[in-house]
Amino acid sequence: MERLILDGQALTLAEIEAVSLAGCEVALAPAALRRVVESRGLIEGILAAGETVYGVNTGFGKLSDVRIPPDRLAQLQLNLVRSHAGGVGQPLSEAESRAMVLLRANVLAKGFSGCRPALVEGLVALLNAGVHPVIPEKGSVGASGDLAPLAHLALVIIGEGEAIYKGERMAGGEALRRAGLEPIALAAKEGLALLNGTQAMTAVGGLAVARARRVAKLADLAGAMSLEALMGTPAAFDERIHKARPHRGQIAAAAHLIELLAGSEIREAHRERDSRVQDAYCLRCMPQVHGAARDVLDHVAGVLEIEAGSATDNPLVFPGSPAGTLTGGAVVSGGNFHGAPLAYAFDYAAIALTDLAGITERRIDRLLNPDINEGLPAFLSPDPGLSSGFMIAQIVAAALINECQVLSHPASTGNIPTDGGKEDHVSMGMTGALKLRQIVDNAERITAIEMMCAAQALEFRRPLKSSPEIESAHAKVRSVVRRLGEDRVLSTDIDALAGAVRAGAFDAWVA
């Protein structure tokens, strides 16, 4: 993708990744700019008529009853941005920052926020110039939008805050200057237009879910490699079984496993003398578990893609209705900033991915445990006893699983009223997004551990070879980590292989 045209439309996770990770250029659709002009005209009309409208000429939240005089409206918006930039913690990654800017620009392009075209164009210019606001990851409760993170984004637009430009962290105004951009002086309603929305949780959660979907499909490859190394049977992947229980993800996972295993010498070598009727659940039930995780993540991706093209500002501006007539739909206050749809989805994804990582860890143990690993050496060591082999790898996986189990406790069931009780029910969606991101990190490492162990185990079955697909994947693993002979530090190998997974090095086996 060379250029993404923003029209306020739903964005796919692939499109968000293209801009956030690959630096795809962004442009605004002419129709979007026309809508922005129309909605801004309505705001200007309300101001000229001297009417009172929340967020335009009033205070915010608990202070919404305070009327602000016309000569102080610009200061009102500036104060809003500065006062809400209270985020703490580590900054979001540059990719997550880019995703936030992209999503906010797309939402404003819908023409429901009452801002000037210059504000939307300014966000697009940030993206295309590679100016990335420094946005602390903590401080949002996910209702009234991601106020603190979006305030840090807005600071850079006005020439304040901090930004990353060409790999260097600097003052926001300096980043704009070096990129040849001018700061924007906010007009009435524009600070609120930047701050009210779910773009922080959508950015963090969206990029995490894109990675999670890759892991869920790559689990088929890792599991197939383990099945072969453990002399298991693919009988449980027969399509008749899965058509009898037609969950889409289950059918897809079973078909993928059959495809990966086709033409295996290892399978043919033990087919006739195989006395087992059924394998352990971690092998036999891969379609059911992997497929269920696929279905959950597909659902969550759909929620995110809808949100990416949704108006989440408050109040919303609907041109074409009589100015100031709230019942007519001109400027209407509501709650589209509430993150409940995303918060629930992130918790759902966290649960599914934690369980997916759990079944992966069970296969790791089965490869290493000499009591159940079908004649493979203990811990896949060439010299068990003198060498510990991959013993610690399973322990690391167990530690990561426990962290996932803790992190998969739902954030969305927690509520702490804010803003003097005005905002008395919040989503905690940003917490859910951050937790999910960490679970994905762990799942990538656990998947890498299984692939590393399975590759070693397959080599103990030589001269027999697995299927062409698995042998090709084995070669890819070996291009990243070498065979384990004498004991060595494994953390470097785990991180290298997990990094390759994250970078898409195994995407050829994702289906």
Side-chain angles (χ1 to χ4, degrees):
M1 185 187 303
E2 294 183 0
R3 174 182 284 193
L4 177 64
I5 306 299
L6 297 184
D7 191 29
Q9 75 275 31
L11 298 175
T12 66
L13 296 187
E15 288 171 331
I16 294 171
E17 282 193 307
V19 174
S20 303
L21 299 173
C24 172
E25 186 177 305
V26 175
L28 289 167
L33 287 174
R34 288 194 295 271
R35 291 194 302 270
V36 172
V37 169
E38 290 172 3
S39 70
R40 184 63 194 177
L42 187 54
I43 294 297
E44 298 290 350
I46 288 171
L47 291 171
E51 299 190 32
T52 301
V53 176
Y54 172 72
V56 177
N57 49 17
T58 72
F60 308 103
K62 187 75 170 179
L63 303 175
S64 60
D65 294 334
V66 180
R67 173 72 184 263
I68 310 300
D71 63 343
R72 307 192 72 182
L73 295 183
Q75 187 65 44
L76 172 69
Q77 301 300 314
L78 184 58
N79 287 350
L80 175 68
V81 171
R82 288 172 173 167
S83 68
H84 281 59
V88 297
Q90 294 297 312
L92 299 180
S93 68
E94 288 188 36
E96 290 165 336
S97 177
R98 285 183 63 80
M100 276 186 66
V101 176
L102 167 70
L103 292 164
R104 198 64 206 156
N106 192 51
V107 167
L108 296 184
K110 294 185 76 68
F112 294 134
S113 296
C115 66
R116 296 167 298 161
L119 194 63
V120 194
E121 292 168 334
L123 290 170
V124 169
L126 283 187
L127 280 173
N128 291 338
V131 176
H132 307 135
V134 174
I135 302 168
E137 66 181 12
K138 297 180 181 179
S140 171
V141 296
S144 270
D146 293 314
L147 294 172
L150 285 166
H152 284 275
L153 184 160
L155 281 175
V156 176
I157 282 284
I158 64 176
E160 299 183 11
E162 291 186 290
I164 305 292
Y165 181 63
K166 294 187 176 179
E168 183 181 350
R169 183 168 175 168
M170 64 190 72
E174 177 63 13
L176 293 181
R177 187 191 67 78
R178 292 193 193 182
L181 304 176
E182 293 291 331
I184 294 174
L186 298 176
K189 177 67 169 65
E190 291 186 332
L192 192 60
L194 287 169
L195 266 61
N196 247 317
T198 59
Q199 284 66 54
M201 67 179 92
T202 306
V204 173
L207 292 176
V209 169
R211 289 165 56 195
R213 293 173 92 186
R214 177 184 290 119
V215 169
K217 294 176 181 179
L218 196 55
D220 296 344
L221 172 64
M225 292 173 70
S226 295
L227 181 84
E228 283 285 271
L230 291 165
M231 312 288 275
T233 172
F237 311 148
D238 188 311
E239 68 174 352
R240 292 171 294 184
I241 294 173
H242 306 288
K243 286 184 176 179
R245 191 196 195 191
H247 293 290
R248 184 166 55 184
Q250 179 176 330
I251 291 172
H256 190 207
L257 286 161
I258 289 291
E259 178 185 344
L260 290 169
L261 293 162
S264 166
E265 290 181 7
I266 294 175
R267 172 58 183 158
E268 292 307 316
H270 71 87
R271 181 192 296 271
E272 296 301 326
R273 56 186 174 82
D274 194 347
S275 60
R276 287 173 301 170
V277 177
Q278 299 180 130
D279 288 313
Y281 284 5
C282 66
L283 300 172
R284 192 196 335 163
C285 298
M286 284 192 285
Q288 289 78 8
V289 178
H290 296 188
R294 285 178 181 234
D295 286 342
V296 169
L297 293 171
D298 286 349
H299 167 75
V300 174
V303 172
L304 284 158
E305 289 170 358
I306 291 171
E307 190 74 4
S310 297
T312 53
D313 195 358
N314 179 55
L316 291 178
V317 179
F318 298 97
S321 299
T325 306
L326 299 184
T327 56
V331 180
V332 183
S333 289
N336 274 5
F337 49 68
H338 200 289
L342 295 172
Y344 299 157
F346 294 150
D347 286 342
Y348 191 22
I351 291 167
L353 199 59
T354 294
D355 190 56
L356 181 71
I359 197 172
T360 301
E361 184 278 328
R362 287 293 77 206
R363 292 193 297 266
I364 294 168
D365 179 70
R366 191 160 285 271
L367 287 166
L368 303 182
N369 187 339
D371 294 333
I372 53 174
N373 70 357
E374 298 297 327
L376 294 169
F379 305 106
L380 302 179
S381 169
D383 193 0
L386 178 64
S387 297
S388 295
F390 288 99
M391 181 189 295
I392 197 65
Q394 186 268 332
I395 295 172
V396 171
L400 295 175
I401 287 290
N402 183 245
E403 184 176 17
C404 290
Q405 290 165 341
V406 172
L407 291 172
S408 63
H409 178 87
S412 60
T413 56
N415 177 55
I416 300 174
T418 60
D419 192 27
K422 185 81 168 183
E423 299 162 4
D424 61 348
H425 184 274
V426 299
S427 76
M428 300 301 181
M430 187 61 174
T431 304
L434 293 170
K435 293 193 305 94
L436 178 60
R437 181 224 278 162
Q438 185 59 50
I439 290 171
V440 175
D441 283 348
N442 291 349
E444 288 169 341
R445 290 187 173 94
I446 294 166
T447 302
I449 290 171
E450 181 180 11
M451 293 170 66
M452 186 169 64
C453 293
Q456 180 97 349
L458 285 169
E459 290 165 3
F460 284 109
R461 301 302 185 191
R462 298 296 189 231
L464 295 175
K465 290 189 176 182
S466 184
S467 67
E469 288 288 338
I470 290 177
E471 290 297 329
S472 179
H474 175 274
K476 175 61 73 172
V477 171
R478 282 287 168 258
S479 73
V480 180
V481 296
R482 69 185 192 278
R483 175 181 170 81
L484 182 65
E486 184 177 339
D487 281 347
R488 63 172 185 263
V489 175
L490 291 179
S491 58
T492 304
D493 291 347
I494 294 168
D495 282 343
L497 198 52
V501 167
R502 188 175 306 121
F506 292 89
D507 283 1
W509 295 275
V510 169

